[in-house]
Amino acid sequence: MGIFFAKKKPPSRVTEQDKAILQLKQTRDKIKQYQRRIEQNLEKERLLAKKLIENKQRERALLLLRKKKFQEQILSKTDGQLENLEHMVHDLEFAQVELRVVDGLKIGNAALKKLHDLLSIDEIEKIMDETREGIEKQKEIDDILSGELTENDETEVEAELDILLATEFEEKAPKVPKDIILLEIPKELPEKKEERRKEKTQEAIALEA
């Protein structure tokens, strides 16, 4: 039963180019290790040849120097091979970058094509025409509502506005209760009444005299 329910392994993201680059780098590292080993041997053989010469062992020193020369030639050849490997690694890595760029362009072109299929030139022109017609129609409505009223219409509109304002004022004004008794205001003030009485008294005295 476990075989049927086993999870599928996700596809590997490592490409053949990645494997090739890894192998080249491993080979490069091995050559560098080999070069370091040869360089160490060359130094040892040089010191040993110097001691042989000091000990008057010229033939053995000559043989050792020939071996040293041969190893130096090998070291020179490995330098060229190492340089070729470095160039190959660089070329493969740059080719991967170019491949990613091409893949990106493919995806972008496919997306643009889908957008172009969704919005054709004819459909865009139709939408623009409908939009233009809607704007022109709205402008006509605005012109009718704002600039086509006669002078009589304007007068009636202002009169209606005055009525609405008056109604609003009456609704907001405080109402006076009907059962309030208002005091009667005297027609004449007490000072005026007293002054008139004095005038009449003076006129009566003048008539008696």
Side-chain angles (χ1 to χ4, degrees), residues 81-143:
Q81 293 173 351
L82 192 61
E83 186 177 355
N84 291 334
L85 285 173
E86 292 286 358
H87 280 299
M88 193 171 293
V89 170
H90 177 270
D91 292 341
L92 280 172
E93 289 177 339
F94 186 71
Q96 283 186 318
V97 172
E98 290 180 326
L99 184 61
R100 293 191 188 100
V101 172
V102 173
D103 289 339
L105 290 174
K106 287 180 180 179
I107 295 172
N109 289 332
L112 284 175
K113 188 176 182 301
K114 288 182 180 179
L115 287 175
H116 293 159
D117 292 339
L118 291 174
L119 291 176
S120 63
I121 299 298
D122 294 337
E123 188 174 356
I124 293 173
E125 290 178 350
K126 182 182 177 181
I127 293 172
M128 294 301 293
D129 291 338
E130 291 176 353
T131 304
R132 194 179 301 109
E133 291 176 0
I135 293 173
E136 292 175 355
K137 187 173 182 180
Q138 184 62 42
K139 185 176 182 300
E140 291 176 2
I141 294 173
D142 294 340
D143 292 340

Side-chain angles (χ1 to χ4, degrees), residues 49-196:
K50 185 177 180 182
K51 288 184 178 180
L52 290 173
I53 292 172
E54 290 175 354
N55 294 331
K56 308 298 181 179
Q57 297 178 345
R58 183 175 179 279
E59 292 297 327
R60 290 188 61 185
L62 183 62
L63 182 63
L64 193 62
L65 290 175
R66 286 174 180 169
K67 180 182 176 183
K68 176 176 173 293
K69 184 64 175 177
F70 176 73
Q71 288 181 336
E72 286 176 348
Q73 291 177 352
I74 293 176
L75 188 63
S76 178
K77 290 179 180 179
T78 56
D79 285 336
Q81 293 173 351
L82 192 61
E83 186 177 355
N84 291 334
L85 285 173
E86 292 286 358
H87 280 299
M88 193 171 293
V89 170
H90 177 270
D91 292 341
L92 280 172
E93 289 177 339
F94 186 71
Q96 283 186 318
V97 172
E98 290 180 326
L99 184 61
R100 293 191 188 100
V101 172
V102 173
D103 289 339
L105 290 174
K106 287 180 180 179
I107 295 172
N109 289 332
L112 284 175
K113 188 176 182 301
K114 288 182 180 179
L115 287 175
H116 293 159
D117 292 339
L118 291 174
L119 291 176
S120 63
I121 299 298
D122 294 337
E123 188 174 356
I124 293 173
E125 290 178 350
K126 182 182 177 181
I127 293 172
M128 294 301 293
D129 291 338
E130 291 176 353
T131 304
R132 194 179 301 109
E133 291 176 0
I135 293 173
E136 292 175 355
K137 187 173 182 180
Q138 184 62 42
K139 185 176 182 300
E140 291 176 2
I141 294 173
D142 294 340
D143 292 340
I144 291 172
L145 293 177
S146 62
E148 298 296 331
L149 297 179
T150 62
E151 186 176 351
N152 187 30
D153 293 334
E154 292 288 350
T155 304
E156 291 179 357
V157 170
E158 291 180 2
E160 186 176 0
L161 178 63
D162 293 337
I163 293 172
L164 291 175
L165 291 174
T167 303
E168 184 182 6
F169 177 75
E170 290 177 0
E171 291 176 353
K172 291 183 178 181
K175 295 182 180 180
V176 180
K178 295 181 180 179
D179 55 350
I180 293 178
I181 300 173
L182 298 176
L183 297 176
E184 185 177 356
I185 299 174
K187 295 181 180 180
E188 291 184 352
L189 296 175
E191 293 82 358
K192 291 286 185 179
K193 192 173 183 180
E194 180 64 25
E195 186 178 347
R196 289 186 65 186

